[in-house]
Amino acid sequence: MANTTVRGALSIHGQNPQFLVETVIRNRIYESQFWKEHCFALTAETLIDRAIELNAVGGVYGNQKPTEFMCLLLKLLQIQPEKEILIEYLQVDEFKYLRALAAMYIRMTFRAAEVYEILEPLLKDYRKLRLRHMGGYTLTFMDEFVDQLLRDERVCDTILPRIPKRDILEENGELGPRKSLLLDAMEGKSERGRSRSRSASRSDRSGRSRSGSAKSRSPSRRSGSVSDTGSRYVSRSPSRSRSGSGSPYRSRSRSISPDRMETDSPPRAE
């Protein structure tokens, strides 16, 4: 029949996968028009086309009518697709309601450690989602929806299977410590601030050392300039007279006495 679970399906939490949805909601899904027209003979491949057309998440609305989201969720529980197919559903970023549908199914059927490992990376998805309920539509976000799956006991008017808290799984060694995106961002900012302060201190030190060397070099230059200027104005010409005569002119020819001139002159021929 169309409402039976596929052959070879494994029991989840010790029972038929379809029994994870409450009996009242499950019977209303079987009687709904969307289930009869669009969910008949769906497979893991053809279900993607129906999930792309979703425009809201939720359980029941109006006069206890099931949403299309709940109808497709029950169909997933009925056909029980493989784990690799569900991971592919999550990795499709273009279709957010397909991702939300796969996250809901993983929360209801997978083990606790796998639920935390697979769904926690979705907390960085901040896209908007429409939530349909008894009062109409409200706005929510993908990270809030995933956080409700990990913390709350009832989501989309469906009681979720109980899973242990993350702290207990960490103590038992089944799950590693959680990596917080906020702490990583804060650590990155602190490391950047430290590197900037170090570079600033190094630049200050180098600037101070340069200024100190410039000051130490400036007096030597000034003294050299003073000595140069002083040597420029010193007269390098020879002394005018050593005898103390007042004549400014000095004769460089050898002085000859008149007696020496007479004796040295040759005799005249007669």
Side-chain angles (χ1 to χ4, degrees):
M1 296 176 64
N3 298 336
T4 58
T5 308
V6 66
R7 290 183 180 181
L10 301 176
S11 62
I12 299 176
H13 303 294
Q15 59 182 350
N16 191 325
Q18 294 192 74
F19 292 169
L20 294 176
V21 180
E22 298 178 11
T23 306
V24 177
I25 299 178
R26 187 170 68 250
N27 292 332
R28 291 182 181 273
I29 292 174
Y30 292 154
E31 297 173 359
S32 64
Q33 185 177 0
F34 182 82
W35 175 267
K36 296 177 180 179
E37 293 181 359
H38 302 285
C39 295
F40 180 77
L42 281 180
T43 61
E45 182 179 357
T46 57
L47 186 139
I48 299 176
D49 298 333
R50 297 290 176 245
I52 291 174
E53 298 174 356
L54 291 176
N55 58 3
V57 298
V60 294
Y61 69 96
N63 190 15
Q64 296 292 325
K65 294 181 180 180
T67 60
E68 298 177 0
F69 181 84
M70 284 300 302
C71 294
L72 294 180
L73 178 63
L74 184 61
K75 193 63 181 181
L76 282 177
L77 293 172
Q78 183 180 356
I79 63 178
Q80 200 177 39
E82 298 179 357
K83 180 180 178 180
E84 291 76 11
I85 297 176
L86 296 170
I87 298 300
E88 290 295 329
Y89 288 172
L90 292 178
Q91 292 179 353
V92 179
D93 297 335
E94 299 178 1
F95 309 110
K96 54 185 178 181
Y97 291 104
L98 176 61
R99 172 176 286 187
L101 180 64
M104 184 79 175
Y105 178 83
I106 290 172
R107 171 62 180 86
M108 297 178 67
T109 58
F110 280 31
R111 296 186 300 108
E114 293 179 344
V115 168
Y116 284 105
E117 291 177 355
I118 296 175
L119 296 187
E120 281 182 349
L122 300 180
L123 294 174
K124 62 181 180 180
D125 190 351
Y126 308 114
R127 288 179 294 180
K128 299 179 181 179
L129 294 176
R130 296 177 66 187
L131 177 61
R132 192 171 190 179
H133 49 82
M134 299 294 294
Y137 289 95
T138 56
L139 184 64
T140 184
F141 299 88
M142 179 66 75
D143 57 335
E144 294 182 2
F145 180 73
V146 174
D147 186 70
Q148 290 177 1
L149 293 176
L150 296 176
R151 296 176 181 271
D152 298 348
E153 298 181 356
R154 191 178 186 89
V155 178
C156 294
D157 300 321
T158 304
I159 298 176
L160 301 176
R162 293 184 179 180
I163 57 175
K165 294 184 179 180
R166 201 180 198 288
D167 300 338
I168 299 176
L169 295 177
E170 291 181 1
E171 292 178 359
N172 296 335
E174 299 181 12
L175 197 63
R178 180 179 177 181
K179 296 180 181 180
S180 176
L181 299 176
L182 181 60
L183 292 178
D184 294 341
M186 293 177 65
E187 290 178 359
K189 290 181 179 180
S190 62
E191 290 179 358
R192 292 177 183 176
R194 291 176 183 175
S195 60
R196 290 179 181 177
S197 61
R198 289 176 183 175
S199 60
S201 61
R202 289 178 182 176
S203 61
D204 293 340
R205 291 177 183 176
S206 60
R208 291 177 183 176
S209 61
R210 291 177 182 176
S211 61
S213 60
K215 291 180 180 179
S216 60
R217 292 177 183 177
S218 58
S220 60
R221 292 181 179 178
R222 291 178 181 178
S223 60
S225 61
V226 171
S227 60
D228 293 341
T229 53
S231 61
R232 288 179 184 177
Y233 296 100
V234 174
S235 175
R236 297 182 180 178
S237 60
S239 59
R240 295 178 179 178
S241 175
R242 296 182 180 178
S243 62
S245 60
S247 175
Y249 301 102
R250 182 180 180 184
S251 175
R252 296 183 179 180
S253 61
R254 300 178 61 183
S255 61
I256 301 173
S257 61
D259 299 337
R260 192 173 179 179
M261 291 176 61
E262 292 177 358
T263 57
D264 294 339
S265 59
R268 296 180 180 180
E270 296 178 356

